Amino acid sequence: MTAGRVIKCRAAVAWEAGKPLVIEEVEVAPPQKHEVRLKILFNALCHTDIYFWEAKGQNPLFPRILGHEAAGIVESVGEGVTELKPGDHVLPVFTGECKECVHCKSEESNLCELLRINTDRGTMLNDGKTRFSKNGKPIYHFVGTSTFSEYTVLHVGCVIKINPAAPLDKVCVISCGFCTGFGATVNVAKPKKGSTVAIFGLGAVGLAAAEGARVSGASRIIGVDLFPNRFEEAKKFGVTEFVNPKDHNKPVQQVIAEMTNGGVDRSVECTGSVQAMISAFECVHDGWGVAVIVGVPKKDDEFKTHPMNFLNERTLKGAFYGNYKPRTDIPAIVEKYMNKELEVDKFITHSVPLSEINKAFEYMLTGQGIRCIIRMEE
């Protein structure tokens, strides 16, 4: 029995910005009040991990254990945890749901006051300390998940219990990338059947947004990306046309407006580039167009557009985690996958063991494939 004891296990540690992760033996303390310790079985590398590993546009915090798109099994629970027990199959999530704050009680919001994402915090809420250490020195947490470790500790509100029959090596993708993109389209942009949709950025989140447009019955889905090698793959997700901004000597919003007789009905931005955000807004049709921003900007970015774009009845919205409440809504998404109503497997293009995690980083940095699964057990 490991409950109540410190566990020694392998973890991929980021010791400094942009340097390869190092597989280390770390110590993982037992869960405290309202915490859960998980055995992580599978990770999927998400671009957000890369972003904070590079630490170019954010506050650097090292040494740190990254990772947040994952799946595993509950190993033990801390005091006051009643909704989970050892052996439960779960998805950890970077944004929680306490179920008690004003946001959790609102039908419209999923921005939990207690557990919303905090990229600067590297410790647990309960006591402001880390649960990870090596040779007595603390290793910081990442967005409350730190799943690049065989064992990790989370607040109970950031753990989603799912159907134990769901394949964890597939549904791990649902915990972040899939829901973020798919929900931005179906829950926030809400394209009508037959509408035109532009998707900016054809990484996993953008392809999930395209998938949302496809299942909503969009007649044209225009993919915008700087990597032309992504265009072929994107056809599987319903993308019908492609625009590479580098191929044009005018703003991409103008190109799209000309392609669509005045603009698309909906656009979803999944890049984090503020210029793409502006283009996504300015490419929607006046009178009814809706643009949804999903990408995370750099901390000093500013969004600039002429106020007439709003007065001409274009709408700009933001979507965080697809507007899904994690613990309330995600188990049903897993069920839809199990019932073959949603396709998730096609997002997974590579797989590596934990010992080769840096290869997964290489795939993403060079635009190869969509999601690389990291197998925690060799």
Side-chain angles (χ1 to χ4, degrees):
M1 286 291 289
T2 50
R5 297 185 192 164
V6 169
I7 290 179
K8 289 187 175 181
C9 71
R10 292 182 313 148
V13 179
W15 288 101
E16 52 184 307
K19 293 283 165 68
L21 303 190
V22 182
I23 306 299
E24 303 276 11
E25 183 180 78
V26 299
E27 291 167 350
V28 186
Q32 303 299 309
K33 192 175 181 180
H34 301 315
E35 293 175 1
V36 182
R37 188 161 60 185
L38 307 183
K39 180 181 171 77
I40 298 294
L41 296 176
F42 298 97
N43 272 281
L45 180 63
C46 168
H47 198 268
T48 305
D49 297 309
I50 299 253
Y51 196 47
F52 285 89
W53 166 72
E54 289 177 329
K56 288 176 185 167
Q58 306 293 340
N59 297 324
L61 184 63
F62 296 97
R64 201 171 203 182
I65 294 172
L66 299 166
H68 64 282
E69 189 171 300
I73 294 171
V74 174
E75 175 271 334
S76 60
V77 300
E79 183 194 333
V81 174
T82 55
E83 54 271 77
L84 291 167
K85 63 185 187 306
D88 282 345
H89 286 220
V90 294
L91 300 179
V93 68
F94 63 87
T95 180
E97 183 185 353
C98 73
K99 300 197 174 183
E100 289 169 12
C101 71
V102 63
H103 284 271
C104 285
K105 287 181 172 171
S106 155
E107 285 180 14
E108 296 179 58
S109 175
N110 67 340
L111 298 172
C112 176
E113 230 163 60
L114 179 69
L115 301 170
R116 75 171 65 177
I117 189 169
N118 182 332
T119 57
D120 292 333
R121 190 176 63 232
T123 56
M124 298 300 287
L125 277 174
N126 187 38
D127 57 4
K129 294 178 181 170
T130 72
R131 301 286 173 264
F132 297 110
S133 60
K134 182 167 175 64
N135 302 329
K137 297 208 170 81
I139 298 173
Y140 293 112
H141 294 251
F142 173 64
V143 296
T145 52
S146 291
T147 56
F148 291 167
S149 173
E150 291 175 317
Y151 288 87
T152 185
V153 178
L154 287 84
H155 189 285
V156 64
C158 296
V159 181
I160 304 165
K161 183 179 173 179
I162 61 165
N163 183 338
L168 296 180
D169 60 331
K170 305 291 193 294
V171 297
C172 57
V173 175
I174 290 174
S175 73
C176 170
F178 180 83
C179 286
T180 297
F182 189 81
T185 303
V186 299
N187 295 336
V188 185
K190 297 179 179 171
K192 295 186 173 81
K193 197 171 183 195
S195 57
T196 54
V197 181
I199 308 290
F200 285 73
L202 298 174
V205 174
L207 293 173
E211 184 75 356
R214 184 183 73 79
V215 302
S216 300
S219 61
R220 294 174 72 185
I221 303 172
I222 301 166
V224 183
D225 203 291
L226 298 168
F227 282 115
N229 62 338
R230 288 178 160 177
F231 292 164
E232 200 52 45
E233 192 80 58
K235 290 177 184 172
K236 295 179 195 167
F237 299 83
V239 178
T240 55
E241 296 149 80
F242 301 96
V243 176
N244 185 339
K246 288 183 193 164
D247 295 343
H248 302 273
N249 54 11
K250 54 186 158 189
V252 70
Q253 52 268 51
Q254 205 178 319
V255 175
I256 292 170
E258 287 167 11
M259 285 169 69
T260 53
N261 198 18
V264 288
D265 302 311
R266 300 287 185 268
S267 71
V268 185
E269 177 282 325
C270 307
T271 70
S273 150
V274 74
Q275 197 46 59
M277 295 175 189
I278 294 165
S279 300
F281 175 55
E282 293 182 354
C283 83
V284 299
H285 208 290
D286 57 0
W288 62 79
V290 177
V292 179
I293 288 176
V294 177
V296 179
K298 291 189 170 65
K299 59 183 177 188
D300 298 325
D301 280 343
E302 289 183 349
F303 185 101
K304 292 179 181 174
T305 190
H306 198 282
M308 279 309 294
N309 288 321
F310 292 100
L311 287 170
N312 286 333
E313 299 181 358
R314 291 179 184 86
T315 301
L316 180 64
K317 291 182 170 187
F320 177 71
Y321 196 58
N323 199 234
Y324 287 115
K325 288 181 185 282
R327 293 203 286 168
T328 300
D329 298 333
I330 302 311
I333 299 290
V334 172
E335 290 307 314
K336 282 190 168 181
Y337 165 73
M338 297 290 284
N339 296 334
K340 299 191 165 44
E341 293 168 52
L342 293 175
E343 296 176 26
V344 172
D345 299 20
K346 61 187 178 183
F347 286 87
I348 298 163
T349 51
H350 296 83
S351 173
V352 297
L354 177 63
S355 57
E356 294 175 26
I357 190 169
N358 291 305
K359 201 179 272 184
F361 276 65
E362 205 179 297
Y363 289 143
M364 185 161 276
L365 287 165
T366 51
Q368 294 180 61
I370 306 166
R371 273 295 188 260
C372 180
I373 298 298
I374 298 151
R375 307 184 300 277
M376 301 303 282
E377 294 178 332
E378 298 291 313

